[in-house]
Amino acid sequence: MEAAGRTTTACVTGAGGFVASWLVKLLLSRSRYTVRGTVRDPGNAKNAHLAALDGAGERLRLLKAELLDYGSMAAAIAGCDVVFHVACPVLDAPTPDPEAEILAPAVTGSINVLKACSEAKVKRVVVVSSVSAVMVNPNWPRGKVMDEDCWTDVDYCRTTQNWYCLAKTLAEREAFAYAKTSGLDVVTVCPSLVIGPLLQPTVNASTAIIVDYLKGEREVENKTRNFVDVRDVVDALVLVCETPEVSGRYICSSYSWKVSDVIGLLKSMYPTYKFANKFVQVSDEPSYSSQKLEMLGWKIKPLEETLRDSVESYKAAGFLD
Ligand SMILES: NC(=O)c1ccc[n+]([C@@H]2O[C@H](COP(=O)([O-])OP(=O)(O)OC[C@H]3O[C@@H](n4cnc5c(N)ncnc54)[C@H](OP(=O)(O)O)[C@@H]3O)[C@@H](O)[C@H]2O)c1
């Protein structure tokens, strides 16, 4: 999305989070990018890793912004060429107030970001959605691999109180509706469970799932699950941003594995951990096709590499003590 030799100013919302931190790192590794990262609390130690990234001193600026505060998002986005909208609450426990804690920031917050992008005449917005906006579809033919045509059924989510899937689906649908009426160039990327090493000092919700497998303190759900390496996710985000001829949504998922087999592989690599051994059998997740993304040249890491780098990162951070 930029002419050769020009610099690109990119905004990354929720810059201190798991996925966004890797995205900021990737953008800074390419000298043509200047990055504006939004964080809710720039002084908080949980965001300190960003300032330590290579290139941060010269090309990263952190701005305080909250998704529901339009003015703060607009100030961060003004003057940007491209925006990666990554921020969204990803909770690791149910909340008594899903409207305030999940739906409003996910849906109204996204609309705020998109409106600010229109106002700033941003050239492309890459929205991080999720397979949560794909997979909850009781009408999809059983056994058929899910592709970008499959959308989560919002009524079914309301009935089953599946607030995160509802929020991600409404946010993605609203993004495309807004793009249609405003002419804003919006593409979405829908990752499955994102795993891999951490840059941030805290355990995010998807990392907690793998930490649980290793620590073996809790019963785990055994099912076929879909995984993707965080570094492959951010490669996908930059790929769709930089490829002129993209459109619509892109599923971003690398592996479909039984949880018990992932734990078996981890055990073969790290035999000394305790590991989950109490399983409750639940329905398998569907499988997804990332072919649309692969056609753009997207490549993935072997699962062994992702798991090894994850465990080494958890060990270094003391999460397995
Ligand atoms: N991890 C996965 O398995 C996975 C899979 C598919 C899609 N996704 C999507 O990927 C994105 C990033 O997820 P993640 O795993 O990196 O989660 P994360 O580490 O929890 O990061 C979420 C980020 O969103 C920010 N945020 C939350 N509510 C906000 C609000 N009201 N205003 C401003 N910022 C807010 C958080 O800021 P604070 O630090 O201030 O809380 C944090 O920086 C999300 O859109 C998520 O839905 C994740």
Side-chain angles (χ1 to χ4, degrees), residues 131-159:
V131 292
S132 302
V134 176
M135 69 189 282
V136 188
N137 184 337
N139 295 320
W140 189 258
R142 217 178 144 77
K144 185 176 171 196
V145 172
M146 288 182 169
D147 59 21
E148 286 79 3
D149 290 337
C150 187
W151 280 90
T152 282
D153 179 331
V154 292
D155 294 329
Y156 186 78
C157 285
R158 279 197 188 94
T159 313

Side-chain angles (χ1 to χ4, degrees), residues 143-217:
K144 185 176 171 196
V145 172
M146 288 182 169
D147 59 21
E148 286 79 3
D149 290 337
C150 187
W151 280 90
T152 282
D153 179 331
V154 292
D155 294 329
Y156 186 78
C157 285
R158 279 197 188 94
T159 313
T160 53
Q161 303 195 340
N162 191 340
W163 307 121
Y164 178 73
C165 291
L166 176 63
K168 293 304 283 185
T169 310
L170 292 175
E172 193 184 349
R173 281 205 177 279
E174 290 283 345
F176 286 125
Y178 184 81
K180 200 169 173 191
T181 53
S182 65
L184 189 67
D185 182 341
V186 176
V187 279
T188 67
V189 173
C190 302
S192 56
L193 189 78
V194 184
I195 61 173
L198 282 79
L199 294 173
Q200 87 279 9
T202 49
V203 179
N204 63 293
S206 56
T207 296
I209 291 172
I210 308 297
V211 170
D212 270 355
Y213 294 171
L214 288 146
K215 290 184 105 170
E217 286 165 358

Side-chain angles (χ1 to χ4, degrees), residues 109-122:
S110 284
I111 294 168
N112 280 344
V113 169
L114 297 170
K115 285 186 174 158
C117 290
S118 280
E119 195 177 280
K121 301 195 169 31
V122 163

Side-chain angles (χ1 to χ4, degrees), residues 14 16-20 40 46 65-67 86-90 105 128-130 164 168 191-194 204 206:
F18 176 45
V19 173
R40 283 192 282 188
K46 72 179 182 180
E66 149 64 49
L67 286 170
V86 191
C88 178
V90 190
V128 180
S129 184
S130 168
Y164 178 73
K168 293 304 283 185
S192 56
L193 189 78
V194 184
N204 63 293
S206 56

Side-chain angles (χ1 to χ4, degrees), residues 221-224 258 280-285:
E221 290 188 338
N222 193 26
K223 60 178 172 182
T224 301
K258 272 278 182 211
V280 50
Q281 294 294 330
V282 296
S283 307
D284 288 338
E285 286 182 2

Side-chain angles (χ1 to χ4, degrees), residues 1-3 6-10 32-35 81-82:
M1 287 304 287
E2 97 260 11
R6 274 201 57 220
T7 58
T8 299
T9 303
R32 67 180 177 277
Y33 281 102
T34 293
V35 183
D81 301 300
V82 295

